Amino acid sequence: MEMRRLLLDEVAAIIAGTLSGAKYGLKIRLPHATVMTFLFAKQLTFREKSKTIAKLTAEHATNLAAFVFIYKSMLAGLKLLRRCELRSSTGVMGKLCRLIGLNNKKQRSPPGLPELPQHSFLAGAVGGYIVWGRYSSVNYQMILYLASRILVGSIKLAREKGVKPFSWSGASFGNTYPLAAAGIWGTVLYLFEQHPNVLHPSLRRSMDEIYRC
């Protein structure tokens, strides 16, 4: 009875998350695609622009929905396995159970949430490979966006954990932000002027419009 209730709760969380992913993708991509298409795709007809906007919006919304579905489904599967009575504690099966936390009976989480840190990484990695591993302009933008956020978040985490040099008193946000801005803008302008072929076409077009007028 407990497992049946757990399964129903997890299914409800999967459905809710999938719908939220589609809704958020639609809300974020539609205005962005509309503005960017009408600003930079002036050679297209109105019909072609409308199709491009619809395609980009649909891709973003379906990708987010698919990723949430895979992520939540894997979390639910790992949670169900973890709460099953496992007799094997030795051999390959026992090692696998310990690796993904199946033998840890203490921690419990609400529906739709991971019970152990490795569960969220594993589910996210699988979903990322399946959904975002196919190259497209939308997927590439998402990867670059997340990469920058991960970098900043990792630096903050290192500072919180006391990892040097990030934990030094002089390495505060106020002190390091101007240096980061200088380094980033200096590097991108150097690449633009000396090696423009290595920059992404969309960035290169924008910089051409600004600096080659």
Side-chain angles (χ1 to χ4, degrees), residues 50-165:
S50 299
K51 287 183 177 180
T52 299
I53 294 168
K55 178 179 178 296
L56 293 173
T57 303
E59 182 181 1
H60 198 153
T62 54
N63 280 2
L64 274 178
F67 177 79
V68 175
F69 177 82
I70 294 170
Y71 177 72
K72 296 281 188 180
S73 296
M74 284 203 62
L75 290 183
L78 290 169
K79 187 179 298 184
L80 288 168
L81 285 173
R82 180 174 177 269
R83 296 191 184 183
C84 286
E85 293 295 334
L86 296 177
R87 298 179 180 274
S88 176
S89 60
T90 59
V92 177
M93 187 61 183
K95 292 179 180 178
L96 178 62
C97 292
R98 287 191 294 273
L99 176 64
I100 61 178
L102 297 182
N103 290 341
N104 186 342
K105 302 296 183 181
K106 296 180 180 180
Q107 189 172 347
R108 297 293 177 98
S109 66
L113 298 180
E115 292 198 334
L116 295 171
Q118 56 264 44
H119 291 181
S120 55
F121 177 83
L122 179 61
V126 171
Y129 182 85
I130 295 174
V131 177
W132 307 106
R134 178 185 59 83
Y135 177 82
S136 71
S137 61
V138 171
N139 288 359
Y140 191 58
Q141 288 172 6
M142 289 291 292
I143 296 302
L144 291 180
Y145 173 84
L146 291 176
S148 64
R149 295 301 188 267
I150 289 171
L151 177 60
V152 174
S154 298
I155 293 174
K156 289 182 177 179
L157 180 61
R159 182 173 177 81
E160 291 178 1
K161 297 294 184 179
V163 178
K164 298 178 180 180

Side-chain angles (χ1 to χ4, degrees), residues 33-62:
T34 300
V35 171
M36 298 301 289
T37 300
F38 276 93
L39 279 179
F40 296 104
K42 298 177 181 179
Q43 74 281 6
L44 300 180
T45 65
F46 181 81
R47 183 181 180 85
E48 290 172 334
K49 290 177 181 177
S50 299
K51 287 183 177 180
T52 299
I53 294 168
K55 178 179 178 296
L56 293 173
T57 303
E59 182 181 1
H60 198 153
T62 54

Side-chain angles (χ1 to χ4, degrees), residues 176-193:
T176 57
Y177 179 78
L179 298 177
I184 290 171
W185 279 99
T187 301
V188 74
L189 264 299
Y190 170 80
L191 291 175
F192 173 67
E193 298 291 359

